Amino acid sequence: MRCAVQSASEPTASAYASLGAALFASERWEDAVQAFESATALRPADAGTWGNLGSAGRWIPGQEARAREALEHAVALMKERLDRNPVDAEGWVVLAGWLESLGRRAEAGDALARWEAIEPHDVRSMALAGVTCMGMGRREEGLRRLREALSRGYSVKRAQARARVAKA
């Protein structure tokens, strides 16, 4: 993992975040966490990278507290972002997913409602909303959202990967 990023003259947060995403997709959780930790060190105000760090950490036994801490930090950063730009539809649906991962289902439901009021037709957000609904125990709604995303061109492979990762 380190070779790919260290070969660049100056590693960037984006390079580490991209590496972390690739490692996450390959289910190499420990390596993904290392990459996301490097990204957050270089860009500490990036909510998405903190959220990815928390999501990856959830898969590593013994890392639950650190994963929760990263997700809580991601939530705080995203809420600040949404205070500045309350019409950021993707921000609301991403926030909902993190809140659901933290067991804060009522808040997740509120965030999903905000997303839906702004832009419910973006297929990527629709798929994330579907997975979030399923995590909240709203299975029929989640399946409906996932089916809708697929019918609008969302990748079946991505949907399967999201569903698999959401089981953490």
Side-chain angles (χ1 to χ4, degrees):
M1 179 206 50
R2 291 191 183 106
C3 295
V5 174
Q6 288 179 342
S7 66
S9 60
E10 284 187 44
T12 66
S14 294
Y16 281 120
S18 294
L19 177 61
L23 293 165
F24 188 93
S26 299
E27 300 181 7
R28 292 179 51 193
W29 315 120
E30 291 88 357
D31 292 336
V33 163
Q34 287 179 350
F36 290 134
E37 284 176 340
S38 296
T40 60
L42 292 170
R43 197 168 47 206
D46 186 309
T49 306
W50 282 101
N52 289 339
L53 172 59
S55 295
R58 292 176 62 211
W59 287 88
I60 304 170
Q63 294 293 314
E64 295 85 359
R66 176 66 178 119
R68 182 172 194 79
E69 178 183 309
L71 285 170
E72 291 285 2
H73 193 64
V75 164
L77 289 170
M78 183 60 77
K79 284 183 174 182
E80 288 175 14
R81 180 172 128 185
L82 292 167
D83 284 345
R84 291 188 305 275
N85 183 12
V87 295
D88 177 357
E90 183 178 351
W92 285 109
V93 75
V94 168
L95 175 64
W98 295 335
L99 289 166
E100 187 281 319
S101 292
L102 290 166
R104 294 162 57 180
R105 291 182 173 176
E107 289 177 81
D110 292 344
L112 280 176
R114 293 290 298 265
W115 159 74
E116 193 158 37
I118 299 165
E119 180 54 60
H121 303 294
D122 172 70
V123 295
R124 182 177 173 273
S125 295
M126 194 181 295
L128 181 55
V131 171
T132 300
C133 287
M134 292 184 72
M136 294 168 60
R138 295 162 38 180
R139 185 176 188 276
E140 290 306 314
E141 179 183 355
L143 289 172
R144 179 182 54 77
R145 291 183 186 279
L146 285 168
R147 279 193 292 269
E148 179 71 15
L150 291 168
S151 75
R152 292 175 180 245
Y154 192 75
S155 161
V156 171
K157 187 175 179 180
R158 288 195 75 140
Q160 289 170 334
R162 275 200 188 279
R164 184 179 65 250
V165 168
K167 292 179 184 174

